Amino acid sequence: MRTTRATPARPLLITALALTATGSLLLTPHTAGADPRPVTREKAGPGSGPGSEAGAAKSPVGTARQSLTAPVTDLAAADATRGYPRRQVLSPDPEDPADKSVRLGLTPYHAIAPELNALQALGDRVSVEVAGRSAGGRRLYLVTVTAPETARQTRTQERMRELIENAPATAAKDRSLRAGYKTPVFFNNNIHGNEWEGTDASLALIERLATADDRHTRELLAHSRLYFNITANPDGRIAGTRANAGGFDLNRDFVTASQPETRAMRQILIDKQPAVMLDLHGYVNGTLIEPTTPPHGENYEYDLFLKNTYANALGMEAAVNGLGHTPAKDGVQPAQIPFRDQEEGWDDWPPIFTPQYAAFHGTVAAHTVEIPLQVNNAAYTSLPESELRRRSAINVDVAGAALRATLDFVRARRSSLIADQIEVFRRGAAGAAQVPVSEETVPGVPGIGPEDVYTTTFPRAHVLPAGTTATARLVDHLIANDVRVTRAAHSFRLGGRTYPKGAYVVDLRQPKRGLANALLADGRDISDKVSVMYDISGWSLGRLWGAEVTAVRGGSLTGVRLRPVTGAAAVGSVAPYGDLRLRLDDPGAFAALNSLLRDGVRVRRAADGSAIVPASARARAVALARTHDVSFTATALTGTTPLHRVRVAAAVTSGELLALREMGFDVTPVSTAVVNAGFDWSSVDVLFVSSGLNRAALTGSARTALDTFLAGHGLVGRGTGGAALGTGAGLLDVTAVQGNLDANGVVRVVNSGPVTAGAPDHGFVYAPVWFTGLGAGVRVEQSYATGAPLVSGHWRALADGSGGPAAAAGQPSVVSAPRAVLFGTEPLFRDHPKGEFPQVAQALLTMAHASSGLVEESG
């Protein structure tokens, strides 16, 4: 049973992993352990400061284009016209002997298509579809294993699936559904590219299921559909990297869905509606099998989720331990279940992880499974091939045991799993209260205590006034996540307030209310609940995307004329005559501006930071207004400063690089190594640094070239890395104060300068920084709010009292000087806080034109 401390210590999980890794040194010639601390954060610890190369993104422009535009297959539409099996012959991929899977004795990506062709040929149970393409352009394969279905039977299954979501109260009473609906099960593999073995375990299982003629297999496939995402991250599988070709950790992307692989997985979850899912990862020794430690996501129907997830975890644990691998013989420790075995440190609070996101689509048993023996990172290069292959074979064995145990669980509990999925949707549609977990409400799960109780009071609705690009973007994002959005046909009153005609209304009495509220609510400050979080703790899309979202706590929607929408109404427009004014308050507006500048349109900047576009470019503006959903209004202003195309040298994270390219900037990735090799500074106009460029590590000639460039151009910096370069080059006199490295969340800010003019009054922090000791000529552009700046997330002071939100309150979060702007917040984090993007874009414009100066006009 898990114990509770009044003041939680550092996570027991981290301690356990460290001891496991150390202990295994005594047992085998090669340490059969894991990283001593799970990979969680993009930057933390001594290796991530200004001298670190780890955060310098290098992805090519093509991956950004693919990330932003890659289509996702509508699998539900395909289901409507075809039965099973759905055979297709996959064309082969070019053989790649450099595929990192080869050294491990695992299936390289180029061998997957031929193997799937062979599996389809084994009988009538295996079907293959292409669910989308990766950021690197590679096919994403979804395999379905089930007993054959006619097209009519498939349509019946689809009607049942829709009934479960759309009319759960009716579905609960439907006897034919109870008897005939096939339980959907989803196995997600290789989402982290250098955690390979789930793919091979799934391929082996598919082969067995394709031909097995025992009673249990026939029964399973007659009453289930098994979906296998063979490799969620083919780019990373080939390259041996955790991230995809765009540099993104896909298992941190489900709130934002910035990557095509994430959008493909999202669509699978929506279209297939799995009741059970596994996400196969590595490497934690012994095998880690969720459910998790606190805090638990407050928007889940956690009683149903915990009941089923814990029961399946026990079955997987028994299966994994039953393989007979031992510490002495194999270096394999017994399996562990965080909910039972750890106090904190492996939580399910944010829905950025696949299993936690799946729970909002009706998955009532969802697990991350971390197989035991490390073969990636340092182990991949330091261990002999024979040892790597030994470990990989054991890992495939362990992953296979987890898969098979889950099938036994599904076969035994098919009816109750579907009943619980129906109940998740019924509670949402009915506006029913959540059921707090306890030993009475979740019998059979030991150790439930008050530390496990997380619930919320759902608003009656969220209302979003229409008319802005940010709101339209958010509405479309909600719909893409299968959240139901309506629009008011007339003005209406709700909760004591009047809302205008055309306002969007997200009624929280809908099947997926948990996801709707998770995306739209402010969230809460959970700093007092646990000592540390696994990853982000606050992510409010309304606050961070720049859209006005009102949570209406009471009132009735009866009599309010609301019509469902399948997409946001376009807000882009162009004035019919005269010069045009483009407000630069949205990422889409900067994309439009940069497109105009690339086309050679003579654009000028006005004193308020907006762009003045000549009437002669009206036709181009019409096209851009349609593409980016932005408005060009009539103006009498002429502007003063001619704007030119901005070319950015960027030593930044992958999320920042994608955000810059999303806004249309021409970006050249740089790093300490690139600059030392002789970078051509004449090819760029401004430098943006957050990670991977350390001035002190430059050669003498490279440092001179950099300083010469900065003397005539400008710097935009973020965090301690950007500040170190700015102060080291003498561009401004400030001290960057690093807050708690484990802190993150949504914060209140006060904007006070031209760079942040018109920006939202909330920002995002991740290892927050603030600035003190401001010298001459340094201006405060933005400050953390006084009092308690953290709105939602996790931000504690350090043991000595420093580094916390009280220390940051009222302190500058963004500062500027004539040739530098420094950010202590994270305005481009993982391509996520889109309402913050314009702050960086304004800074880049200002610094790129610093050599000529900005002349302000009076009106």
Side-chain angles (χ1 to χ4, degrees):
M1 180 180 293
R2 196 169 64 251
T3 59
T4 305
R5 296 176 181 162
T7 306
R10 198 71 174 167
L12 297 183
L13 173 62
I14 295 171
T15 304
L17 293 178
L19 290 173
T20 298
T22 303
S24 64
L25 283 170
L26 304 176
L27 302 171
T28 61
H30 301 289
T31 306
D35 289 333
R37 178 171 176 174
V39 178
T40 60
R41 300 178 69 85
E42 291 179 353
K43 55 180 195 317
S48 61
S52 172
E53 294 283 324
K58 303 173 184 177
S59 62
V61 175
T63 61
R65 189 178 302 113
Q66 184 83 359
S67 292
L68 297 170
T69 63
V72 171
T73 304
D74 187 345
L75 297 166
D79 284 352
T81 57
R82 294 186 292 166
Y84 287 97
R86 299 172 183 174
R87 292 191 182 93
Q88 63 172 309
V89 178
L90 300 168
S91 59
D93 293 285
E95 185 172 345
D96 183 1
D99 187 311
K100 299 297 186 182
S101 309
V102 174
R103 177 170 162 80
L104 302 172
L106 300 173
T107 306
Y109 179 75
H110 61 257
I112 290 176
E115 184 158 350
L116 295 180
N117 286 336
L119 290 171
Q120 290 180 100
L122 290 176
D124 56 7
R125 295 174 176 175
V126 179
S127 304
V128 179
E129 297 165 274
V130 176
R133 287 187 178 267
S134 69
R138 297 180 175 92
R139 291 172 292 185
L140 305 171
Y141 301 115
L142 180 70
V143 171
T144 304
V145 183
T146 192
E149 298 172 14
T150 65
R152 181 176 180 179
Q153 289 171 326
T154 297
R155 288 194 297 271
T156 298
Q157 289 293 314
E158 181 61 17
R159 283 195 295 269
M160 290 178 178
R161 187 199 68 77
E162 291 178 349
L163 191 69
I164 288 171
E165 179 186 349
N166 299 329
T170 302
K173 302 173 185 176
D174 191 309
R175 293 182 180 178
S176 63
L177 186 153
R178 194 158 53 244
Y181 184 58
K182 289 186 170 183
T183 307
V185 183
F186 180 43
F187 298 120
N188 201 44
N189 302 294
N190 201 201
I191 190 170
H192 289 148
N194 62 354
E195 298 166 11
W196 291 268
E197 291 92 342
T199 293
D200 292 79
S202 285
L203 288 170
L205 178 59
I206 293 167
E207 182 175 6
R208 187 182 74 78
L209 294 172
T211 57
D213 197 37
D214 60 282
R215 179 177 61 83
H216 284 172
T217 300
R218 293 196 306 271
E219 178 183 304
L220 173 74
L221 299 184
H223 294 97
S224 308
R225 280 194 194 155
L226 312 178
Y227 301 105
F228 297 82
N229 191 13
I230 297 299
T231 168
N233 184 0
D235 303 340
R237 183 177 188 82
I238 293 170
T241 58
R242 181 179 178 90
N244 70 348
F248 273 74
D249 184 333
L250 301 175
N251 204 42
R252 303 292 185 273
D253 193 41
F254 279 92
V255 165
T256 308
S258 70
Q259 300 300 293
E261 301 94 334
T262 313
R263 295 193 292 274
M265 286 181 277
R266 177 179 70 185
Q267 201 62 41
I268 292 168
L269 292 169
I270 292 170
D271 292 344
K272 306 307 183 185
Q273 204 168 287
V276 178
M277 73 90 60
L278 297 190
D279 203 26
L280 290 167
H281 288 254
Y283 301 95
V284 176
N285 193 3
T287 301
L288 182 144
I289 303 170
E290 289 184 349
T292 72
T293 67
H296 310 296
E298 62 182 348
N299 291 288
Y300 303 137
E301 305 304 322
Y302 191 64
D303 61 315
L304 303 173
F305 184 85
L306 179 59
K307 174 183 76 172
N308 292 298
T309 303
Y310 190 80
N312 192 34
L314 291 176
M316 286 191 280
E317 178 186 43
V320 168
N321 290 343
L323 292 171
H325 299 303
T326 67
K329 178 168 64 75
D330 310 292
V332 177
Q333 302 290 334
Q336 55 185 316
I337 300 173
F339 183 92
R340 181 194 65 197
D341 300 331
Q342 278 88 46
E343 184 174 329
E344 60 174 45
W346 197 290
D347 62 89
D348 60 12
W349 178 256
I352 57 174
F353 312 117
T354 322
Q356 282 62 53
Y357 179 76
F360 290 124
H361 292 290
T363 305
V364 293
H367 312 258
T368 293
V369 176
E370 300 273 354
I371 55 181
L373 300 182
Q374 186 179 3
V375 295
N376 64 0
N377 301 336
Y380 187 92
T381 54
S382 65
L383 295 178
E385 185 175 291
S386 59
E387 171 63 9
L388 290 173
R389 293 192 172 204
R390 181 191 75 83
R391 292 186 179 194
S392 288
I394 290 173
N395 287 337
V396 172
D397 203 17
V398 169
L403 293 169
R404 294 189 298 273
T406 297
L407 295 185
D408 291 340
F409 174 76
V410 169
R411 191 170 56 82
R413 299 202 183 199
R414 180 179 72 86
S415 296
S416 64
L417 288 166
I418 297 304
D420 285 344
Q421 184 180 78
I422 292 171
E423 175 62 8
V424 169
F425 293 147
R426 186 204 67 80
R427 290 181 189 177
Q434 294 167 296
V435 177
V437 295
S438 68
E439 293 189 356
E440 291 72 36
T441 60
V442 193
V445 179
I448 297 175
E451 72 276 10
D452 294 306
V453 178
Y454 286 84
T455 59
T456 191
T457 301
F458 291 103
R460 183 62 187 85
H462 291 283
V463 180
L464 293 74
T468 69
T469 303
T471 297
R473 179 185 294 112
L474 181 49
V475 167
D476 284 339
H477 187 68
L478 292 169
I479 293 169
N481 280 277
D482 205 31
V483 171
R484 300 175 185 192
V485 183
T486 60
R487 200 168 187 201
H490 302 287
S491 63
F492 64 98
R493 285 188 65 79
L494 184 65
R497 176 176 168 183
T498 299
Y499 296 93
K501 173 184 176 180
Y504 296 101
V505 179
V506 181
D507 185 352
L508 265 292
R509 292 186 182 174
Q510 61 171 290
K512 297 183 180 179
R513 67 170 178 185
L515 181 55
N517 201 54
L519 295 177
L520 291 174
D522 283 350
R524 63 167 158 155
D525 179 353
I526 56 170
S527 304
D528 63 337
K529 300 298 183 182
V530 292
S531 64
V532 69
M533 295 289 292
Y534 192 81
D535 204 86
I536 67 169
S537 315
W539 55 86
S540 170
L541 297 193
R543 297 296 189 188
L544 297 178
W545 284 28
E548 181 184 345
V549 178
T550 301
V552 183
R553 294 293 168 186
S556 172
L557 289 171
T558 302
V560 180
R561 289 185 57 190
L562 301 171
R563 55 180 178 82
V565 297
T566 57
V571 299
S573 63
V574 179
Y577 54 85
D579 289 343
L580 303 170
R581 177 173 177 259
L582 177 64
R583 289 177 56 87
L584 299 178
D585 57 359
D586 183 86
F590 278 98
L593 169 65
N594 283 321
S595 182
L596 290 168
L597 294 173
R598 259 193 312 274
D599 290 344
V601 176
R602 297 172 62 85
V603 182
R604 288 180 170 268
R605 192 176 188 186
D608 64 0
S610 61
I612 309 303
V613 180
S616 59
R618 179 168 281 99
R620 187 76 184 100
V622 169
L624 292 169
R626 187 180 303 115
T627 299
H628 299 292
D629 209 19
V630 294
S631 294
F632 292 81
T633 58
T635 183
L637 296 175
T638 59
T640 55
T641 304
L643 295 177
H644 58 73
R645 179 178 173 184
V646 175
R647 303 166 300 170
V648 183
V652 294
T653 66
S654 296
E656 291 168 330
L657 181 58
L658 180 59
L660 294 175
R661 287 172 169 163
E662 187 176 339
M663 290 188 288
F665 288 102
D666 297 322
V667 187
T668 302
V670 296
S671 65
T672 303
V674 168
V675 174
N676 276 337
F679 183 68
D680 179 10
W681 289 105
S682 68
S683 66
V684 296
D685 306 300
V686 63
L687 173 63
F688 182 20
V689 174
S690 66
S691 178
L693 179 55
N694 180 5
R695 183 175 177 276
L698 296 176
T699 64
S701 59
R703 190 180 310 122
T704 298
L706 170 63
D707 291 348
T708 300
F709 171 80
L710 292 175
H713 297 79
L715 166 75
V716 176
R718 198 265 304 156
T720 55
L725 194 141
T727 56
L731 299 180
L732 73 178
D733 181 15
V734 298
T735 298
V737 180
Q738 176 69 74
N740 190 335
L741 285 168
D742 284 328
N744 72 88
V746 181
V747 294
R748 294 184 298 116
V749 295
V750 178
N751 297 307
S752 56
V755 167
T756 61
D761 57 1
H762 288 75
F764 185 78
V765 294
Y766 194 83
V769 171
W770 56 94
F771 303 99
T772 62
L774 276 57
V778 177
R779 175 164 56 188
V780 177
E781 296 278 350
Q782 181 190 87
S783 300
Y784 294 105
T786 57
L790 186 67
V791 173
S792 60
H794 188 277
W795 187 357
R796 286 184 168 191
L798 299 170
D800 62 2
S802 67
Q811 297 292 334
S813 53
V814 182
V815 296
S816 67
R819 298 200 184 280
V821 178
L822 299 181
F823 289 85
T825 58
E826 287 265 8
L828 305 182
F829 179 78
R830 294 180 186 166
D831 192 47
H832 170 50
K834 294 185 184 293
E836 314 299 311
F837 289 9
Q839 298 175 46
V840 173
Q842 288 282 14
L844 290 170
L845 278 186
T846 302
M847 292 299 101
H849 294 80
S851 58
S852 59
L854 286 176
V855 181
E856 298 189 358
E857 63 176 25
S858 59

